[in-house]
């Protein structure tokens, strides 16, 4: 296995890849009318990762790099779906590589806050904390991640209840806005 540190790109036969398009992210962005006018096949982000241990292996780790394209749905920045770990006490590291953005975190009481992401930023996602990343720059945002093999992804909470705040561009700058209930 190899990593190209300047981009986070992973190289090797064991690398797995996935992507999420606007169509895959139905219901995730606030402005449904704007989302419907955009091309469903447009890629919002790609993930490449290496899982040397099988999923669910206690004690194992996975390593990944995510690339989020620049863009907006209405005035909301392109972002990852977001999840909380199925094993809720599992934590994770994120590290900014390229571009600028925000790590959006929400705790169990639905308090949401952000941490700025930039090349060299390093983030610890605490237990029981939902997380997603938004690209607030004009270039692809690339970040690396390391998570326990048995963390699992629970997407239901985000799909059903969303985050309590969303990141919109206002006057050219990111602003965290409480979501309509
Ligand atoms: C990071 C890690 C992965 C995650 C990916 C995309 O690389 O946290 O586990 O899958 O981001 O985020 P999401 O699963 O929310 O689409
Ligand atoms: Zn995670």
């Amino acid at each position: 296995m190899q990593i190209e540190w300047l981009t986070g790109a992973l190289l090797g036969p064991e690398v797995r890849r996935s992507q999420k398009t606007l169509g895959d992210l139905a219901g995730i962005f606030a402005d449904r009318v704007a989302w419907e006018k955009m091309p469903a096949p447009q890629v919002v982000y790609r993930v490449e990762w290496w899982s040397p241990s099988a999923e669910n292996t206690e004690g194992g780790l996975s390593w990944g790099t995510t690339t989020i394209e620049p863009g907006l749905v209405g005035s909301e920045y392109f972002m990852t779906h977001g999840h909380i770990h199925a094993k809720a006490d599992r934590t994770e590291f994120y590290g900014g590589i390229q571009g600028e953005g925000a790590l959006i975190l929400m705790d169990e009481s639905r308090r949401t806050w952000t941490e700025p992401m930039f090349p060299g930023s390093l983030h610890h996602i605490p237990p029981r904390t939902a997380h997603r990343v938004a690209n607030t720059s004009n270039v692809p945002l690339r970040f690396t991640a390391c998570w326990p093999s048995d963390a699992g992804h629970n997407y239901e909470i985000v799909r059903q209840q969303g985050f309590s705040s969303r990141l919109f561009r206002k006057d050219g700058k990111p602003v965290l806005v409480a979501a309509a209930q």
Side-chain angles (χ1 to χ4, degrees):
M1 281 294 300
Q2 286 185 43
I3 183 166
E4 197 181 275
W5 283 111
L6 287 177
T7 63
L10 299 177
L11 307 165
E14 291 172 61
V15 179
R16 290 155 67 189
R17 293 188 168 80
S18 72
Q19 61 177 37
K20 286 253 181 334
T21 62
L22 279 168
D24 294 326
L25 296 169
I28 293 302
F29 293 96
D31 189 340
R32 198 196 151 94
V33 174
W35 174 82
E36 274 174 351
K37 287 183 185 148
M38 296 177 77
Q42 186 175 337
V43 173
V44 177
Y45 61 97
R46 297 181 171 82
V47 185
E48 48 191 346
W49 75 98
W50 178 34
S51 292
S53 307
E55 234 175 87
N56 292 324
T57 305
E58 197 176 330
L61 291 171
S62 290
W63 181 282
T65 296
T66 302
T67 305
I68 310 174
E69 296 301 324
L72 295 164
V73 177
S75 54
E76 189 172 20
Y77 295 103
F78 274 16
M79 60 185 177
T80 59
H81 185 291
H83 61 271
I84 191 161
H85 293 148
K87 282 205 171 108
D89 65 349
R90 299 307 197 247
T91 59
E92 186 166 4
F93 283 122
Y94 277 4
I97 297 177
Q98 276 184 4
E100 285 177 17
L103 170 58
I104 305 171
L105 298 157
M106 182 175 73
D107 69 16
E108 278 180 307
S109 65
R110 295 188 54 76
R111 184 179 71 90
T112 298
W113 71 101
T114 62
E115 293 182 12
M117 292 184 87
F118 51 88
S121 68
L122 188 58
H123 311 268
H124 177 253
I125 296 160
R128 289 170 281 279
T129 304
H131 42 288
R132 76 158 38 126
V133 173
N135 182 357
T136 61
S137 65
N138 296 322
V139 297
L141 170 69
R142 296 178 70 97
F143 68 94
T144 195
C146 183
W147 66 95
S149 308
D150 63 349
H153 296 80
N154 177 343
Y155 292 108
E156 285 309 304
I157 288 176
V158 172
R159 216 172 284 141
Q160 286 164 13
Q161 302 165 30
F163 280 61
S164 62
S165 296
R166 295 174 169 277
L167 203 61
F168 292 105
R169 187 174 71 176
K170 288 210 167 149
D171 302 322
K173 287 192 203 125
V175 181
L176 194 66
V177 178
Q181 291 306 302

